[in-house]
Amino acid sequence: ILCPTDFSKHAMNAAQYACALADKLNSALILFHTYESPADFTQGQFTITTNTEDLLKSAASKNLSALRQKLKNKFPRVKLETMLETGAGYSEILSAANKQNVDLIVMGSTGTNKLERLLMGSTASRVLQHATCPVLCIPKDAEFNDIKKIVFATDLKDDNILSATKLVPFAAAFGAEIVF
Protein backbone atom coordinates (compact mmCIF):
# COMPACT_ATOMS: atom_id res chain seq x y z
CA ILE A 1 0.00 0.00 0.00
CA LEU A 2 1.32 3.45 -0.92
CA CYS A 3 0.21 6.34 1.26
CA PRO A 4 1.20 9.79 0.00
CA THR A 5 1.39 12.49 2.67
CA ASP A 6 1.86 16.22 2.85
CA PHE A 7 1.88 16.02 6.68
CA SER A 8 -1.48 17.82 6.95
CA LYS A 9 -4.23 16.77 9.35
CA HIS A 10 -6.13 15.17 6.45
CA ALA A 11 -3.06 13.24 5.30
CA MET A 12 -2.40 12.04 8.86
CA ASN A 13 -5.94 10.70 9.05
CA ALA A 14 -5.44 8.89 5.72
CA ALA A 15 -2.12 7.46 6.98
CA GLN A 16 -3.83 6.05 10.08
CA TYR A 17 -6.55 4.59 7.88
CA ALA A 18 -3.91 3.07 5.58
CA CYS A 19 -2.10 1.56 8.59
CA ALA A 20 -5.32 0.00 9.86
CA LEU A 21 -5.91 -1.48 6.39
CA ALA A 22 -2.31 -2.73 6.16
CA ASP A 23 -2.63 -4.29 9.61
CA LYS A 24 -5.87 -6.06 8.69
CA LEU A 25 -4.49 -7.22 5.31
CA ASN A 26 -1.02 -8.09 6.64
CA SER A 27 0.43 -5.74 4.04
CA ALA A 28 3.47 -3.46 3.93
CA LEU A 29 2.86 0.29 3.86
CA ILE A 30 5.02 2.89 2.14
CA LEU A 31 4.69 6.43 3.48
CA PHE A 32 5.49 8.70 0.55
CA HIS A 33 6.27 12.41 0.38
CA THR A 34 7.31 14.55 -2.53
CA TYR A 35 8.46 18.14 -2.55
CA GLU A 36 9.21 20.53 -5.37
CA SER A 37 12.51 22.36 -5.65
CA PRO A 38 11.97 26.10 -5.35
CA ALA A 39 12.78 28.37 -8.28
CA ASP A 40 15.72 30.72 -7.74
CA PHE A 41 14.97 34.39 -8.19
CA THR A 42 17.43 37.27 -8.09
CA GLN A 43 16.67 40.93 -7.65
CA GLY A 44 19.08 43.72 -8.32
CA GLN A 45 22.82 43.23 -8.09
CA PHE A 46 22.79 41.33 -4.80
CA THR A 47 21.86 37.69 -4.62
CA ILE A 48 21.60 35.80 -1.37
CA THR A 49 22.02 32.10 -1.95
CA THR A 50 21.11 29.36 0.42
CA ASN A 51 20.69 25.73 -0.36
CA THR A 52 16.92 25.77 0.00
CA GLU A 53 16.49 22.34 -1.58
CA ASP A 54 18.71 20.76 1.10
CA LEU A 55 16.67 22.49 3.80
CA LEU A 56 13.40 21.28 2.28
CA LYS A 57 14.72 17.74 1.93
CA SER A 58 16.00 17.70 5.50
CA ALA A 59 12.71 19.00 6.92
CA ALA A 60 10.68 16.55 4.82
CA SER A 61 12.91 13.65 5.88
CA LYS A 62 12.50 14.54 9.56
CA ASN A 63 8.72 14.85 9.19
CA LEU A 64 8.54 11.52 7.36
CA SER A 65 10.61 9.78 10.06
CA ALA A 66 8.48 11.30 12.82
CA LEU A 67 5.27 10.19 11.08
CA ARG A 68 6.67 6.68 10.61
CA GLN A 69 7.56 6.44 14.29
CA LYS A 70 4.17 7.74 15.41
CA LEU A 71 2.38 5.18 13.24
CA LYS A 72 4.78 2.40 14.25
CA ASN A 73 3.91 3.05 17.91
CA LYS A 74 0.20 2.71 17.14
CA PHE A 75 0.49 -0.15 14.60
CA PRO A 76 3.55 -2.19 15.66
CA ARG A 77 2.77 -5.17 13.38
CA VAL A 78 2.73 -3.12 10.16
CA LYS A 79 5.90 -3.08 8.08
CA LEU A 80 6.39 0.65 7.46
CA GLU A 81 8.75 2.04 4.84
CA THR A 82 9.32 5.63 3.79
CA MET A 83 10.02 7.16 0.41
CA LEU A 84 11.02 10.75 -0.32
CA GLU A 85 11.17 12.20 -3.84
CA THR A 86 11.41 15.59 -5.47
CA GLY A 87 8.97 16.62 -8.20
CA ALA A 88 5.32 17.41 -8.90
CA GLY A 89 3.02 15.66 -6.42
CA TYR A 90 0.65 13.60 -8.52
CA SER A 91 3.21 12.50 -11.14
CA GLU A 92 5.66 11.39 -8.44
CA ILE A 93 2.91 9.50 -6.62
CA LEU A 94 2.04 7.65 -9.84
CA SER A 95 5.71 6.98 -10.56
CA ALA A 96 6.30 5.62 -7.04
CA ALA A 97 3.21 3.41 -7.27
CA ASN A 98 4.50 1.93 -10.53
CA LYS A 99 8.11 1.53 -9.33
CA GLN A 100 7.04 -0.15 -6.11
CA ASN A 101 4.35 -2.20 -7.87
CA VAL A 102 1.78 -1.34 -5.20
CA ASP A 103 -1.64 -2.93 -5.01
CA LEU A 104 -3.41 0.10 -3.55
CA ILE A 105 -2.93 3.83 -3.02
CA VAL A 106 -4.57 5.31 0.08
CA MET A 107 -4.61 9.09 0.28
CA GLY A 108 -6.45 11.92 1.92
CA SER A 109 -9.00 13.99 0.13
CA THR A 110 -9.33 17.59 1.24
CA GLY A 111 -12.57 18.16 -0.64
CA THR A 112 -11.51 21.13 -2.74
CA ASN A 113 -14.42 23.02 -4.21
CA LYS A 114 -15.39 22.95 -7.91
CA LEU A 115 -13.65 26.23 -8.73
CA GLU A 116 -10.34 25.06 -7.20
CA ARG A 117 -10.53 21.78 -9.12
CA LEU A 118 -11.34 23.64 -12.35
CA LEU A 119 -8.44 26.08 -11.95
CA MET A 120 -5.74 23.74 -10.72
CA GLY A 121 -7.18 20.27 -10.23
CA SER A 122 -6.42 18.27 -7.15
CA THR A 123 -3.69 15.77 -6.52
CA ALA A 124 -6.21 13.13 -5.48
CA SER A 125 -8.35 13.57 -8.61
CA ARG A 126 -5.30 13.37 -10.88
CA VAL A 127 -4.09 10.22 -9.12
CA LEU A 128 -7.58 8.72 -9.42
CA GLN A 129 -7.67 9.45 -13.15
CA HIS A 130 -4.24 8.07 -14.00
CA ALA A 131 -3.36 5.35 -11.47
CA THR A 132 -2.99 1.79 -12.71
CA CYS A 133 -4.03 0.36 -9.34
CA PRO A 134 -7.04 1.05 -7.10
CA VAL A 135 -7.03 4.35 -5.21
CA LEU A 136 -8.86 4.83 -1.94
CA CYS A 137 -9.50 8.49 -1.06
CA ILE A 138 -10.16 9.02 2.62
CA PRO A 139 -12.43 11.95 3.57
CA LYS A 140 -11.05 14.21 6.28
CA ASP A 141 -13.20 12.81 9.12
CA ALA A 142 -13.33 9.12 8.13
CA GLU A 143 -12.24 6.53 10.67
CA PHE A 144 -11.38 2.93 9.92
CA ASN A 145 -14.08 0.70 11.41
CA ASP A 146 -13.54 -2.41 9.34
CA ILE A 147 -15.15 -2.75 5.92
CA LYS A 148 -18.57 -4.38 5.75
CA LYS A 149 -20.01 -3.21 2.43
CA ILE A 150 -18.37 -2.06 -0.81
CA VAL A 151 -20.37 -0.28 -3.50
CA PHE A 152 -19.08 -0.84 -7.02
CA ALA A 153 -20.50 1.52 -9.65
CA THR A 154 -20.54 -0.14 -13.06
CA ASP A 155 -21.83 0.16 -16.61
CA LEU A 156 -21.29 -3.62 -16.99
CA LYS A 157 -18.65 -3.24 -19.68
CA ASP A 158 -15.85 -5.81 -19.83
CA ASP A 159 -13.25 -3.57 -18.14
CA ASN A 160 -15.62 -3.01 -15.20
CA ILE A 161 -16.25 -6.72 -14.77
CA LEU A 162 -12.49 -7.39 -14.77
CA SER A 163 -12.02 -4.69 -12.12
CA ALA A 164 -14.82 -6.19 -10.03
CA THR A 165 -13.13 -9.60 -10.04
CA LYS A 166 -9.98 -7.96 -8.66
CA LEU A 167 -12.07 -6.50 -5.84
CA VAL A 168 -13.30 -9.90 -4.63
CA PRO A 169 -10.14 -10.92 -2.68
CA PHE A 170 -10.09 -7.51 -0.98
CA ALA A 171 -13.74 -7.84 0.05
CA ALA A 172 -13.14 -11.43 1.17
CA ALA A 173 -10.37 -10.32 3.56
CA PHE A 174 -12.99 -8.31 5.43
CA GLY A 175 -15.95 -10.60 4.87
CA ALA A 176 -17.50 -7.62 3.09
CA GLU A 177 -20.49 -7.59 0.78
CA ILE A 178 -20.06 -6.09 -2.71
CA VAL A 179 -23.08 -4.18 -4.02
CA PHE A 180 -23.20 -3.48 -7.75
Side-chain angles (χ1 to χ4, degrees), residues 51-142:
N51 200 340
T52 309
E53 185 169 350
D54 286 346
L55 293 173
L56 285 172
K57 184 177 182 177
S58 176
S61 182
K62 285 179 186 174
N63 286 336
L64 206 51
S65 292
L67 176 58
R68 181 190 180 282
Q69 190 56 53
K70 183 175 184 176
L71 292 170
K72 194 68 179 165
N73 291 341
K74 189 170 181 179
F75 300 94
R77 296 183 315 157
V78 175
K79 180 183 175 196
L80 281 164
E81 301 170 29
T82 60
M83 223 177 138
L84 181 62
E85 296 289 337
T86 181
Y90 77 95
S91 63
E92 291 301 323
I93 292 167
L94 295 171
S95 177
N98 288 331
K99 280 184 212 171
Q100 298 297 318
N101 196 29
V102 301
D103 300 305
L104 177 67
I105 299 171
V106 178
M107 61 191 302
S109 172
T110 58
T112 56
N113 64 41
K114 287 181 184 180
L115 178 61
E116 288 171 324
R117 283 192 305 273
L118 177 66
L119 293 175
M120 62 185 173
S122 77
T123 300
S125 67
R126 287 179 177 166
V127 170
L128 275 167
Q129 288 175 342
H130 301 288
T132 57
C133 66
V135 179
L136 186 58
C137 289
I138 308 301
K140 64 180 179 176
D141 296 324

